[in-house]
Amino acid sequence: MAEIIRDGAEALKKAAELAAEFRTGASERDAGRLLPRAELDKLSASGLLAVTVPADHGGADVGALTLARIFRLLAAADASLAQIPQSHFAYVNVIRRQGTPEQQAFFYGELLAGKRFGNAQSEAGTKHVQDIRTRLEPASDGSYLLNGVKNYATGALFADWIPVLALGTDDKPYVALVPAGAPGLTVVDDWDGMGQRTTASGTVRLEGVRVPADRVFAHHLTFEGPQLHGAVAQLLHAAIDAGIAAGALAEAAEFVRTKSRPWFESGYDTAAEDPLLIQRFGELDLRVRAADALLDTAARAVDTARATLTDGTAAEASLAVAAAKAYAAGAAVEVAGALFEVAGTRSALDSLNLHRHWRDARTHTLHDPVRWKIQHLGRHAVDGTRPPRHGLL
């Protein structure tokens, strides 16, 4: 059983404690691609995976600001580990938005017990990211059958329940929650990305997987009115990027204080006294602070919209999240790359594995293109055009 977290302050305290613990083995796990099963079990047992369960179902019902800060803490310690539950919380929102009272009661109970949701959403080789081939078809007994192949299925290997995005006979998107080990379900650990090595973002195959009707959610209804599904999902991506930037900056500073040699022309005894290095650290610190500030602003916009959901508040939340994600993505890549610039030649040794920060940043920021977020920001700035309703903004 998992602990029950009662409020946001308790959640942040627990996240900080776990982040400190997870940081210790992060480099070793990445270098050896040692999957973090023990760490995920601790995350489940902590109660953090249930912090968005509504209060009337026994959860802490924390807001977006607290949730974003939890992810930022975890990502600063281990970006792969932080990425694994991102889809978990996105699909908790699906249950909140589209679940029947009976579905909510069941799955909220699972969450409070520490159960984990995975992800079987994206597909490779299709026309674009929203071109889905996986089908959910009715069976004669009132259940459904799932058939298809999913890729980039972060968290599926570690999940108790795998949410599968599929098209129904009406060609509209549905989400079916499939238990781990279900007949016809195969999860393949074939992820070989240069970064986020321990997310196990591999392949999920579905061959005639039977799904009871009460495990299916009409996901398409989410986008027929104002919604925060995309804003929450993207906010957590932004928090991961902000965390990567912060983690890289902290490790760069530690390296310069303890290992870097001063440049002979500086006239100082230690690298940490070099005013040119201090200047560069100041510039990088500004980037991290700005990413954090935009993240908090975006999270507050999501919380405001959640309290009063309209087309206007939902649009403002999406735009604020788009700005946070666009900025944090650039900050993560820049700061993780600048680590080597400020730390010097020795920092490039493969055995030190400091490049994991840049590899994680470069890999994670490929989830969706920043250029389109900036397009939506620009259109709104010019003529007030509201962003589209889809799950990637």
Side-chain angles (χ1 to χ4, degrees):
M1 292 294 292
E3 296 180 35
I4 301 297
I5 291 176
R6 298 301 179 186
D7 56 36
E10 185 181 350
L12 288 170
K13 181 176 182 292
K14 181 65 69 174
E17 291 171 353
L18 285 177
E21 181 179 346
F22 295 161
R23 181 177 292 108
T24 302
S27 178
E28 182 183 359
R29 286 192 296 273
D30 173 89
R33 199 175 176 275
L34 306 174
L35 298 182
R37 295 183 185 275
E39 289 75 18
L40 285 171
D41 287 343
K42 289 181 180 180
L43 188 62
S44 292
S46 74
L48 281 173
L49 296 182
V51 292
T52 58
V53 170
D56 56 1
H57 284 270
D61 202 9
V62 305
L65 181 60
T66 297
L67 190 61
R69 288 177 174 175
I70 289 170
F71 270 77
R72 196 258 194 206
L73 283 167
L74 294 175
D78 184 337
S80 285
L81 191 53
Q83 176 61 28
I84 291 169
Q86 187 270 340
S87 290
H88 170 97
F89 285 99
Y91 285 106
V92 173
N93 275 350
V94 172
I95 293 169
R96 185 173 193 142
R97 179 77 183 231
Q98 301 303 338
T100 64
E102 294 76 17
Q103 288 175 316
Q104 290 174 348
F106 175 78
F107 281 110
Y108 289 153
E110 291 286 275
L111 291 165
L112 290 168
K115 298 297 178 67
R116 295 191 289 265
F117 291 171
N119 157 38
Q121 179 169 296
S122 294
E123 299 181 12
T126 57
K127 185 177 181 181
H128 51 70
V129 71
Q130 292 194 327
D131 180 17
I132 302 298
R133 295 173 181 166
T134 300
R135 306 299 300 199
L136 180 71
E137 298 175 330
S140 58
D141 63 357
S143 65
Y144 292 86
L145 295 176
L146 271 173
N147 288 281
V149 178
K150 296 292 186 176
N151 306 93
Y152 314 118
T154 302
L157 191 68
F158 314 110
D160 299 290
W161 292 92
I162 301 176
V164 180
L165 182 64
L167 298 183
T169 53
D170 55 2
D171 287 330
K172 294 179 178 180
Y174 292 80
V175 170
L177 266 72
V178 178
L185 170 71
T186 305
V187 181
V188 185
D189 179 21
D190 57 358
W191 170 243
D192 65 348
M194 69 172 181
Q196 296 200 291
R197 289 177 171 175
T198 62
T199 59
S201 301
T203 301
V204 171
R205 295 194 177 93
L206 305 133
E207 298 174 303
V209 176
R210 190 170 296 276
V211 183
D214 62 357
R215 300 292 181 262
V216 176
F217 299 80
H219 191 39
H220 59 91
L221 296 178
T222 298
F223 306 101
E224 292 184 2
Q227 52 82 33
L228 296 172
H229 179 80
V232 170
Q234 291 296 308
L235 180 71
L236 300 186
H237 281 308
I240 292 167
D241 288 340
I244 292 172
L249 183 62
E251 190 144 13
E254 174 67 15
F255 196 95
V256 167
R257 285 193 302 267
T258 61
K259 296 182 178 66
S260 295
R261 296 185 299 177
W263 183 244
F264 72 96
E265 291 180 284
S266 73
Y268 289 94
D269 293 330
T270 67
E273 297 173 282
D274 184 341
L276 296 181
L277 272 183
I278 291 171
Q279 175 72 22
R280 185 60 174 136
F281 269 101
E283 294 167 352
L284 298 173
D285 185 65
L286 278 174
R287 288 284 263 162
V288 172
R289 288 175 183 269
D292 287 345
L294 284 169
L295 181 69
D296 279 4
T297 297
R300 290 190 176 98
V302 172
D303 282 334
T304 296
R306 178 182 166 188
T308 307
L309 187 60
T310 66
D311 281 331
T313 60
E316 286 301 318
S318 288
L319 290 167
V321 171
K325 179 65 173 70
Y327 191 90
V333 173
E334 178 184 346
V335 176
L339 183 157
F340 304 99
E341 170 194 337
V342 296
T345 305
R346 185 181 174 189
S347 64
L349 293 177
D350 193 56
S351 59
L352 296 176
N353 199 26
L354 294 176
H355 47 67
R356 73 184 185 282
H357 299 290
W358 184 87
R359 289 187 287 99
D360 284 341
R362 186 65 282 176
T363 302
H364 181 257
T365 54
L366 298 177
H367 267 87
D368 45 89
V370 163
R371 59 186 178 273
W372 275 98
K373 298 184 186 303
I374 294 173
Q375 277 286 309
H376 294 306
L377 288 167
R379 288 171 182 170
H380 184 265
V382 170
D383 58 19
T385 299
R386 287 174 175 168
R389 293 174 179 163
H390 60 61
L392 297 175
L393 190 68

